Amino acid sequence: MTTKTDTPDDIAAAEKLERLNANLSKMDELSKRLVAAMGKKKSADPGLQAPGQEVYMQAAAAYMAEMMNNPSKILEQQVSYWGKSLKHYVEAQQPFVHGKIAAPEDKGPTDRRFKSELWDTHPYFNFIKQQYMYSSAAITDAMQNLEGLSDHEKGRVSFFAQQIVDMFAPTNFLATNPEALSKAVETDGASLVQGLENLVHDIEANEGDLLVSLADETAFKVGENIAATEGSVVFRNHMFELIQYKPTTEKVHATPIVIFPPWINKFYVMDLKPQNSLIKWVVDQGHTLFIVSWVNPDESYADVGIDTYVDDGYLTAFEQVKKITGQKQLNAVGYCIAGTTLSLVLALMKKRGDKTVKSATFFTMLSDFEDPGEMGVFLEDDFVDGIERQVADKGFLHSFFMSRTFSYLRANDLVYGPAIRSYMLGEAPPAFDLLYWNGDSTNLPGRFVVEYLRELCQGNKLAKGTMELSGETLSLADIELPICAVACETDHIAAWRGSYAGIKQFGSEDKTFIVSESGHVAGIINPPSKKKYGHYTNKDMTGTQDDWWAGATFNEGSWWPRWDAWLAEKSSKMVPAREPGSEQFPILGPAPGTYVKVKSNKG
């Protein structure tokens, strides 16, 4: 309340206080919503939440053993850390001694988490940052230098230690984040109100669990501004919809292509927008293209296993494509987990003498899990046992758990960074199509996920030649048709070295192996027009991964044209373009179909 005698400054201060009180009131209301939302959280097996205690026991035992057997090494590490920490403390005091309020010179490594200039110029924030950097480096070095652990055990210990280090970064807490504090002051608390609103929204959307929204969900609509390449659904069963795309050329290669995307996510990562759509690009090169759009399973799919995906998925899709096009053969493509399963299918078809598939292409695919890369930390019994118990109870594995797992492989980019922007700065998630797709993931059937993890990942049965399916014993050596495999240099889900190890074991004489720059998605969705990422090639696959890499040639630009040239040789003559469907296969609806629009629910 103001009076006639109040000065403009008094009025401004009163208005500021009024806004602040109003925002505090809103925060109180949102806090009640937050508590209510968290109360809706459904039970989940503890094994899905964190690694088993044995990981920490192994680390503690190894550290204690080293302390007993090599105390000088431990002492040297500790003294080094103490020395750096104390030296920085003394340096931080020097400006105050001379009557200045300033931060000491920062000679440490750059870290994009600390982009605000206050981390470098403000004494308080600079001190916190540098002490955190010294501490995190000391912990990381201690874990990496532990003796008495296997490489795999050391990898798990280091990974989960890094998770803890990243979680306790000062950027993740309001009181030690200068950017968030400054914005809160500038907005009279409005940024915190909006941040709390964003937090409540995310928890409500995930039924009591927290998964940070990475993209503005209102900015995209599947079938309109993403997944909009023209085509038609020409077949549907309980496992998938088959989409045939409308040709854009007068003539097409006689041999059609069918792409099997991973059923952990939806197929439209290959069709986000015209400029980077792999689907549109393939059609524009003169190919008759089909793609499988998998169903998003619920508890009614509890008994769906690998054999169901093979019989009612792959083999059924092959038969429909042959009938629609009138061709006896086709070219198949498998992406990630769908590529792993495609390798099973090809081995099975070889045993049966089925020559339907003329050539096969694999995107970021592991078929040998001896070295699964970073994903290996989640493939031990502590996590897999938890998944098995969860699906036994629910009938399926909800997409939430897989999304969270993949996010923590890049926690600073996919968890903490987005959380800071959304919850502390009060910013709306960006309208980013790739991140929207990333959040639109799917569930996994109960029997399938257990079989996949136990038999293929942990048991590595396909690479060992002991995988049993439909009455046959399968191995990678059974695959003898022409193969093109594309791996990605910095892939954190399907490491290129593991991909190479599997492809090397194929019985094919015609094998092409390509390593694209970038990661699991960006390395694949890399259109020639962007001229962003190059790729590596080497025809010699007789040696180790290091041998292949040492002899590889770097090529500027996308691998897409190289693949198309390879594919064209396997695609026969040109024929008049085919319109989607046929008299026997009437169009069931426009692309992208109905299955792709089904959202996951926790049941």
Side-chain angles (χ1 to χ4, degrees), residues 10-86:
D10 292 333
I11 294 172
E15 291 174 346
K16 189 177 184 68
L17 181 61
E18 186 176 350
R19 288 194 299 271
L20 180 60
N21 288 332
N23 285 328
L24 290 173
S25 177
K26 290 178 183 177
M27 291 180 70
D28 182 58
E29 295 173 7
L30 286 167
S31 296
K32 294 175 182 177
R33 271 182 62 194
L34 177 63
V35 172
M38 293 179 68
K40 295 179 181 178
K41 182 177 180 178
K42 298 180 180 179
S43 62
D45 192 279
L48 296 171
Q49 311 300 328
Q53 291 297 317
E54 62 269 17
V55 173
Y56 305 106
M57 294 301 294
Q58 286 174 341
Y63 193 80
M64 290 300 295
E66 202 158 338
M67 188 179 293
M68 298 293 292
N69 298 326
N70 194 1
S72 61
K73 177 182 176 182
I74 299 296
L75 187 60
E76 182 181 358
Q77 291 174 339
Q78 289 294 317
V79 170
S80 175
Y81 165 63
W82 293 337
K84 291 177 182 177
S85 183
L86 181 60

XYZ file of all heavy atoms in Angstrom, residues 10-86:
586
model
N 10.066 4.591 -3.249
C 9.232 3.873 -2.280
C 8.159 3.062 -2.998
O 7.872 1.914 -2.644
C 8.569 4.847 -1.302
C 9.587 5.507 -0.383
O 10.631 4.897 -0.140
O 9.309 6.644 0.060
N 7.545 3.674 -4.023
C 6.484 3.001 -4.778
C 7.044 1.782 -5.516
O 6.457 0.696 -5.508
C 5.822 3.974 -5.771
C 5.090 5.086 -5.010
C 4.862 3.227 -6.701
C 4.572 6.192 -5.896
N 8.214 1.961 -6.134
C 8.834 0.852 -6.865
C 9.183 -0.288 -5.921
O 8.985 -1.461 -6.244
C 10.095 1.340 -7.586
N 9.706 0.069 -4.728
C 10.060 -0.962 -3.751
C 8.818 -1.707 -3.273
O 8.845 -2.937 -3.095
C 10.786 -0.325 -2.569
N 7.729 -0.966 -3.076
C 6.489 -1.592 -2.619
C 5.934 -2.548 -3.680
O 5.467 -3.645 -3.369
C 5.458 -0.518 -2.273
N 6.000 -2.088 -4.931
C 5.517 -2.948 -6.025
C 6.371 -4.202 -6.156
O 5.863 -5.298 -6.415
C 5.521 -2.161 -7.338
C 4.476 -1.056 -7.383
C 4.585 -0.205 -8.634
O 5.627 -0.311 -9.326
O 3.655 0.566 -8.917
N 7.676 -4.019 -5.962
C 8.593 -5.158 -6.042
C 8.286 -6.170 -4.943
O 8.251 -7.386 -5.169
C 10.036 -4.641 -5.923
C 11.114 -5.684 -6.210
C 12.477 -5.019 -6.118
C 13.581 -5.999 -6.501
N 13.543 -6.366 -7.918
N 8.049 -5.647 -3.722
C 7.729 -6.511 -2.600
C 6.404 -7.240 -2.831
O 6.266 -8.422 -2.510
C 7.656 -5.689 -1.303
C 7.340 -6.482 -0.029
C 8.413 -7.541 0.240
C 7.229 -5.525 1.163
N 5.454 -6.523 -3.431
C 4.149 -7.126 -3.716
C 4.287 -8.272 -4.723
O 3.675 -9.337 -4.558
C 3.196 -6.055 -4.261
C 1.770 -6.545 -4.452
C 0.833 -5.424 -4.895
O 1.241 -4.255 -4.867
O -0.300 -5.751 -5.290
N 5.114 -8.059 -5.750
C 5.342 -9.125 -6.735
C 6.028 -10.331 -6.090
O 5.687 -11.473 -6.366
C 6.186 -8.606 -7.897
C 5.449 -7.651 -8.837
C 6.227 -7.455 -10.129
N 7.541 -6.870 -9.899
C 7.792 -5.566 -9.868
N 6.800 -4.701 -10.051
N 9.020 -5.122 -9.668
N 6.997 -10.021 -5.213
C 7.719 -11.089 -4.544
C 6.781 -11.909 -3.660
O 6.812 -13.150 -3.672
C 8.862 -10.508 -3.714
C 9.723 -11.521 -2.947
C 10.391 -12.504 -3.904
C 10.778 -10.799 -2.109
N 5.921 -11.221 -2.905
C 4.975 -11.930 -2.037
C 3.985 -12.762 -2.846
O 3.619 -13.876 -2.453
C 4.226 -10.933 -1.151
C 5.109 -10.358 -0.059
O 6.058 -11.015 0.381
N 4.814 -9.141 0.384
N 3.576 -12.210 -3.982
C 2.649 -12.952 -4.844
C 3.315 -14.224 -5.382
O 2.694 -15.285 -5.448
C 2.191 -12.063 -5.998
N 4.591 -14.093 -5.751
C 5.305 -15.266 -6.260
C 5.537 -16.302 -5.164
O 5.453 -17.509 -5.408
C 6.645 -14.844 -6.870
C 6.466 -14.181 -8.230
O 5.551 -14.522 -8.971
N 7.334 -13.233 -8.550
N 5.791 -15.833 -3.948
C 5.953 -16.762 -2.834
C 4.657 -17.514 -2.560
O 4.659 -18.698 -2.223
C 6.413 -16.012 -1.581
C 7.848 -15.470 -1.613
C 8.122 -14.606 -0.383
C 8.848 -16.622 -1.670
N 3.544 -16.805 -2.709
C 2.241 -17.435 -2.523
C 1.997 -18.511 -3.590
O 1.497 -19.606 -3.301
C 1.135 -16.383 -2.579
O -0.136 -16.981 -2.462
N 2.383 -18.188 -4.826
C 2.229 -19.166 -5.907
C 3.092 -20.399 -5.641
O 2.678 -21.531 -5.914
C 2.630 -18.531 -7.248
C 1.673 -17.467 -7.745
C 2.189 -16.863 -9.050
C 1.281 -15.726 -9.525
N 1.824 -15.089 -10.764
N 4.287 -20.166 -5.105
C 5.178 -21.284 -4.817
C 4.585 -22.190 -3.746
O 4.741 -23.416 -3.797
C 6.556 -20.761 -4.382
C 7.328 -20.097 -5.505
S 8.952 -19.487 -5.006
C 9.822 -21.027 -4.766
N 3.889 -21.592 -2.805
C 3.235 -22.391 -1.768
C 2.163 -23.287 -2.380
O 2.052 -24.476 -2.039
C 2.625 -21.471 -0.717
C 1.981 -22.254 0.418
O 2.686 -23.049 1.074
O 0.766 -22.087 0.631
N 1.380 -22.728 -3.312
C 0.328 -23.500 -3.982
C 0.942 -24.618 -4.833
O 0.456 -25.758 -4.844
C -0.515 -22.582 -4.861
C -1.312 -21.536 -4.093
C -1.994 -20.547 -5.017
O -1.953 -20.759 -6.248
O -2.551 -19.560 -4.514
N 2.031 -24.284 -5.536
C 2.687 -25.287 -6.368
C 3.317 -26.394 -5.536
O 3.363 -27.553 -5.955
C 3.748 -24.614 -7.249
C 3.211 -23.805 -8.428
C 4.318 -22.945 -9.027
C 2.633 -24.736 -9.488
N 3.801 -26.039 -4.358
C 4.398 -27.041 -3.472
C 3.367 -28.086 -3.065
O 3.675 -29.284 -2.961
C 4.978 -26.371 -2.225
O 6.037 -25.502 -2.570
N 2.130 -27.648 -2.837
C 1.059 -28.586 -2.495
C 0.764 -29.512 -3.685
O 0.543 -30.717 -3.512
C -0.196 -27.820 -2.095
C -0.035 -27.019 -0.802
C -1.271 -26.185 -0.502
C -1.074 -25.361 0.762
N -2.242 -24.476 1.033
N 0.776 -28.935 -4.906
C 0.579 -29.765 -6.104
C 1.720 -30.765 -6.252
O 1.525 -31.912 -6.662
C 0.515 -28.882 -7.352
C -0.870 -28.381 -7.717
C -0.819 -27.554 -8.980
N -0.349 -28.322 -10.132
C 0.044 -27.759 -11.274
N 0.022 -26.438 -11.411
N 0.446 -28.516 -12.272
N 2.923 -30.312 -5.930
C 4.094 -31.170 -6.041
C 3.964 -32.381 -5.116
O 4.215 -33.518 -5.525
C 5.360 -30.379 -5.700
C 6.683 -31.146 -5.704
C 6.992 -31.671 -7.095
C 7.817 -30.267 -5.206
N 3.569 -32.130 -3.887
C 3.406 -33.219 -2.928
C 2.334 -34.197 -3.411
O 2.508 -35.423 -3.338
C 3.039 -32.664 -1.535
C 2.669 -33.806 -0.588
C 4.207 -31.872 -0.966
N 1.237 -33.662 -3.941
C 0.158 -34.516 -4.443
C 0.628 -35.348 -5.631
O 0.302 -36.538 -5.746
C -1.037 -33.657 -4.839
N 1.415 -34.727 -6.530
C 1.911 -35.442 -7.709
C 2.865 -36.554 -7.310
O 2.812 -37.671 -7.840
C 2.598 -34.467 -8.661
N 3.744 -36.275 -6.354
C 4.706 -37.283 -5.917
C 4.013 -38.438 -5.200
O 4.500 -39.569 -5.196
C 5.759 -36.640 -5.009
C 6.650 -35.642 -5.735
S 7.875 -34.852 -4.674
C 8.939 -36.241 -4.304
N 2.856 -38.155 -4.630
C 2.098 -39.196 -3.953
C 1.509 -40.220 -4.902
O 1.074 -41.295 -4.476
N 1.471 -39.908 -6.189
C 0.917 -40.832 -7.180
C 1.958 -41.807 -7.729
O 1.640 -42.641 -8.566
C 0.319 -40.038 -8.348
C -0.874 -39.179 -7.955
C -1.411 -38.404 -9.155
C -2.595 -37.533 -8.752
N -3.110 -36.744 -9.899
N 3.189 -41.689 -7.244
C 4.246 -42.551 -7.746
C 3.929 -44.007 -7.469
O 3.571 -44.382 -6.356
C 5.580 -42.189 -7.096
C 6.759 -43.017 -7.599
C 8.062 -42.554 -6.975
C 9.224 -43.381 -7.485
N 10.519 -42.932 -6.928
N 4.053 -44.833 -8.500
C 3.775 -46.259 -8.365
C 5.050 -47.007 -8.015
O 6.155 -46.573 -8.341
C 3.159 -46.798 -9.656
C 1.819 -46.150 -9.984
C 1.211 -46.700 -11.260
C -0.125 -46.031 -11.557
N -0.729 -46.528 -12.815
N 4.874 -48.114 -7.364
C 6.032 -48.882 -6.924
C 6.810 -49.438 -8.114
O 6.233 -49.815 -9.128
C 5.586 -50.032 -6.019
O 4.748 -50.919 -6.727
N 8.112 -49.462 -7.982
C 8.991 -50.054 -8.986
C 10.066 -50.833 -8.252
O 10.423 -50.522 -7.111
C 9.615 -48.980 -9.864
N 10.564 -51.862 -8.885
C 11.571 -52.696 -8.247
C 12.812 -51.873 -7.908
O 13.295 -51.103 -8.748
C 11.959 -53.848 -9.178
C 12.778 -54.893 -8.468
O 13.997 -54.671 -8.319
O 12.209 -55.906 -8.039
N 13.333 -51.998 -6.686
C 14.524 -51.227 -6.290
C 15.718 -51.462 -7.218
O 16.585 -50.596 -7.357
C 14.816 -51.735 -4.871
C 13.504 -52.251 -4.376
C 12.814 -52.814 -5.582
N 15.769 -52.652 -7.839
C 16.872 -52.957 -8.738
C 16.927 -52.070 -9.959
O 17.949 -52.018 -10.645
N 15.835 -51.351 -10.256
C 15.812 -50.443 -11.397
C 16.357 -49.062 -11.045
O 16.554 -48.233 -11.927
C 14.373 -50.295 -11.918
C 13.724 -51.555 -12.491
C 12.253 -51.302 -12.747
C 14.417 -51.962 -13.772
N 16.554 -48.821 -9.751
C 16.897 -47.478 -9.304
C 18.393 -47.203 -9.236
O 18.825 -46.078 -9.434
C 16.271 -47.209 -7.924
C 14.800 -47.562 -7.808
C 13.916 -46.797 -8.775
O 14.211 -45.646 -9.115
N 12.827 -47.409 -9.211
N 19.178 -48.239 -8.937
C 20.611 -48.019 -8.723
C 21.334 -49.361 -8.778
O 20.706 -50.416 -8.673
C 20.840 -47.358 -7.360
N 22.654 -49.327 -8.932
C 23.406 -50.586 -8.950
C 23.379 -51.262 -7.584
O 23.127 -50.621 -6.558
C 24.827 -50.140 -9.318
C 24.901 -48.725 -8.849
C 23.539 -48.160 -9.092
N 23.628 -52.541 -7.558
C 23.651 -53.285 -6.309
C 24.797 -52.856 -5.404
O 25.778 -52.234 -5.833
N 24.678 -53.197 -4.141
C 25.680 -52.782 -3.157
C 27.067 -53.348 -3.465
O 28.076 -52.785 -3.041
C 25.231 -53.236 -1.765
C 24.019 -52.497 -1.234
C 24.283 -51.016 -1.050
O 25.339 -50.615 -0.549
N 23.337 -50.188 -1.475
N 27.115 -54.441 -4.226
C 28.418 -55.056 -4.480
C 29.354 -54.120 -5.236
O 30.583 -54.224 -5.115
C 28.264 -56.378 -5.236
C 27.627 -56.272 -6.603
C 26.116 -56.426 -6.566
O 25.536 -56.298 -5.458
O 25.535 -56.681 -7.629
N 28.803 -53.210 -6.040
C 29.652 -52.254 -6.760
C 30.432 -51.401 -5.774
O 31.650 -51.212 -5.896
C 28.799 -51.357 -7.677
C 29.660 -50.254 -8.291
C 28.157 -52.188 -8.772
N 29.725 -50.891 -4.772
C 30.372 -50.024 -3.790
C 31.275 -50.842 -2.857
O 32.331 -50.357 -2.426
C 29.303 -49.281 -2.993
C 28.351 -48.523 -3.879
C 27.056 -48.981 -4.083
C 28.757 -47.369 -4.541
C 26.180 -48.294 -4.918
C 27.894 -46.679 -5.381
C 26.605 -47.149 -5.569
O 25.747 -46.480 -6.408
N 30.878 -52.072 -2.578
C 31.706 -52.931 -1.746
C 33.011 -53.269 -2.456
O 34.083 -53.310 -1.833
C 30.948 -54.204 -1.386
C 29.732 -53.980 -0.497
S 30.160 -53.194 1.083
C 31.133 -54.483 1.843
N 32.927 -53.515 -3.770
C 34.134 -53.796 -4.544
C 35.083 -52.604 -4.500
O 36.297 -52.754 -4.321
C 33.761 -54.115 -5.990
C 33.145 -55.488 -6.209
C 32.658 -55.676 -7.637
O 32.453 -54.708 -8.373
N 32.451 -56.922 -8.032
N 34.517 -51.409 -4.671
C 35.339 -50.202 -4.659
C 35.985 -49.995 -3.294
O 37.181 -49.701 -3.189
C 34.491 -48.989 -5.036
N 35.169 -50.171 -2.232
C 35.693 -49.973 -0.879
C 36.767 -51.008 -0.554
O 37.810 -50.675 0.031
C 34.549 -50.057 0.129
N 36.512 -52.263 -0.937
C 37.482 -53.322 -0.653
C 38.797 -53.079 -1.390
O 39.889 -53.258 -0.830
C 36.898 -54.680 -1.043
N 38.691 -52.665 -2.658
C 39.897 -52.394 -3.443
C 40.672 -51.224 -2.862
O 41.915 -51.241 -2.793
C 39.513 -52.114 -4.891
N 39.953 -50.195 -2.403
C 40.607 -49.017 -1.841
C 41.318 -49.381 -0.526
O 42.455 -48.966 -0.277
C 39.583 -47.916 -1.613
C 40.206 -46.562 -1.331
C 40.680 -45.770 -2.375
C 40.315 -46.081 -0.029
C 41.248 -44.525 -2.130
C 40.883 -44.845 0.232
C 41.348 -44.072 -0.821
O 41.916 -42.848 -0.571
N 40.628 -50.175 0.315
C 41.224 -50.574 1.588
C 42.449 -51.459 1.357
O 43.473 -51.328 2.046
C 40.185 -51.310 2.435
C 39.074 -50.423 2.973
S 39.694 -49.093 4.040
C 40.373 -50.039 5.400
N 42.340 -52.371 0.371
C 43.475 -53.246 0.071
C 44.675 -52.426 -0.394
O 45.824 -52.699 -0.015
C 43.080 -54.261 -1.003
N 44.396 -51.416 -1.198
C 45.493 -50.577 -1.695
C 46.083 -49.746 -0.566
O 47.290 -49.482 -0.523
C 44.966 -49.679 -2.815
C 46.058 -49.189 -3.733
C 45.530 -48.772 -5.097
O 44.452 -49.224 -5.495
O 46.220 -47.987 -5.748
N 45.231 -49.327 0.344
C 45.721 -48.546 1.484
C 46.664 -49.385 2.354
O 47.655 -48.874 2.893
C 44.530 -48.064 2.314
C 44.898 -47.080 3.421
S 43.438 -46.521 4.334
C 42.597 -45.585 3.063
N 46.348 -50.685 2.464
C 47.187 -51.578 3.265
C 48.475 -51.961 2.527
O 49.561 -52.012 3.130
C 46.404 -52.844 3.610
C 45.153 -52.601 4.457
S 45.531 -52.013 6.117
C 46.318 -53.463 6.812
N 48.336 -52.239 1.235
C 49.469 -52.759 0.472
C 50.360 -51.681 -0.129
O 51.544 -51.913 -0.370
C 48.962 -53.655 -0.657
C 48.212 -54.868 -0.131
O 48.550 -55.397 0.920
N 47.198 -55.299 -0.863
N 49.782 -50.525 -0.399
C 50.549 -49.463 -1.044
C 50.161 -48.113 -0.442
O 49.624 -47.245 -1.124
C 50.288 -49.483 -2.548
C 51.276 -48.646 -3.331
O 52.191 -48.054 -2.764
N 51.085 -48.573 -4.643
N 50.408 -47.931 0.853
C 49.970 -46.695 1.522
C 50.589 -45.438 0.934
O 49.976 -44.370 0.952
C 50.402 -46.918 2.975
C 51.500 -47.930 2.896
C 51.138 -48.819 1.758
N 51.803 -45.555 0.405
C 52.460 -44.362 -0.140
C 51.685 -43.799 -1.343
O 51.604 -42.576 -1.536
C 53.895 -44.688 -0.551
O 53.916 -45.699 -1.559
N 51.105 -44.713 -2.138
C 50.333 -44.277 -3.305
C 49.087 -43.512 -2.868
O 48.776 -42.444 -3.403
C 49.944 -45.481 -4.154
C 49.080 -45.132 -5.365
C 48.703 -46.389 -6.139
C 47.758 -46.068 -7.282
N 47.342 -47.283 -8.020
N 48.381 -44.055 -1.882
C 47.177 -43.395 -1.371
C 47.540 -42.063 -0.741
O 46.859 -41.049 -0.965
C 46.465 -44.297 -0.344
C 46.037 -45.608 -1.000
C 45.264 -43.577 0.262
C 45.012 -45.454 -2.089
N 48.607 -42.059 0.024
C 49.030 -40.830 0.697
C 49.421 -39.768 -0.325
O 49.106 -38.582 -0.163
C 50.202 -41.122 1.638
C 50.653 -39.963 2.537
C 49.513 -39.526 3.441
C 51.864 -40.378 3.380
N 50.106 -40.209 -1.385
C 50.508 -39.265 -2.432
C 49.282 -38.634 -3.091
O 49.255 -37.424 -3.353
C 51.345 -39.992 -3.479
C 51.858 -39.086 -4.589
C 52.663 -39.848 -5.629
O 52.857 -41.068 -5.457
O 53.081 -39.221 -6.615
N 48.259 -39.446 -3.345
C 47.026 -38.913 -3.936
C 46.359 -37.910 -3.007
O 45.920 -36.839 -3.441
C 46.052 -40.066 -4.240
C 46.494 -40.976 -5.371
C 45.574 -42.173 -5.541
O 44.855 -42.545 -4.615
N 45.607 -42.796 -6.713
N 46.308 -38.261 -1.720
C 45.658 -37.386 -0.759
C 46.418 -36.073 -0.592
O 45.834 -34.984 -0.569
C 45.541 -38.089 0.600
C 44.526 -39.211 0.633
C 43.112 -38.688 0.452
O 42.726 -37.674 1.026
N 42.332 -39.382 -0.366
N 47.746 -36.184 -0.473
C 48.562 -34.981 -0.288
C 48.451 -34.069 -1.498
O 48.389 -32.833 -1.368
C 50.037 -35.366 -0.023
C 50.930 -34.121 -0.088
C 50.178 -36.038 1.336
N 48.423 -34.659 -2.693
C 48.271 -33.858 -3.907
C 46.955 -33.086 -3.883
O 46.920 -31.890 -4.192
C 48.322 -34.768 -5.134
O 48.053 -34.029 -6.316
N 45.878 -33.782 -3.502
C 44.559 -33.119 -3.434
C 44.559 -32.040 -2.358
O 44.114 -30.914 -2.595
C 43.475 -34.161 -3.153
C 42.169 -33.550 -2.717
C 41.449 -32.711 -3.568
C 41.661 -33.798 -1.444
C 40.252 -32.146 -3.161
C 40.469 -33.235 -1.030
C 39.766 -32.404 -1.889
O 38.592 -31.838 -1.481
N 45.081 -32.371 -1.166
C 45.111 -31.388 -0.086
C 45.941 -30.167 -0.481
O 45.573 -29.029 -0.184
C 45.711 -32.000 1.178
C 44.861 -33.080 1.794
C 43.512 -33.254 1.638
C 45.307 -34.136 2.641
N 43.089 -34.354 2.328
C 44.168 -34.922 2.966
C 46.551 -34.514 3.156
C 44.238 -36.046 3.787
C 46.625 -35.622 3.972
C 45.490 -36.385 4.287
N 47.060 -30.433 -1.151
C 47.933 -29.333 -1.548
C 47.246 -28.379 -2.512
O 47.316 -27.157 -2.359
N 46.581 -28.931 -3.522
C 45.877 -28.083 -4.487
C 44.759 -27.298 -3.815
O 44.560 -26.107 -4.083
C 45.299 -28.943 -5.608
C 46.336 -29.553 -6.531
C 45.672 -30.457 -7.571
C 46.722 -31.111 -8.470
N 46.093 -32.040 -9.444
N 44.029 -27.968 -2.932
C 42.905 -27.325 -2.264
C 43.385 -26.193 -1.340
O 42.820 -25.097 -1.337
C 42.125 -28.373 -1.467
O 40.998 -27.796 -0.865
N 44.442 -26.476 -0.568
C 44.966 -25.470 0.355
C 45.589 -24.304 -0.408
O 45.406 -23.127 -0.040
C 45.998 -26.103 1.287
C 46.615 -25.171 2.342
C 45.527 -24.612 3.245
C 47.671 -25.919 3.172
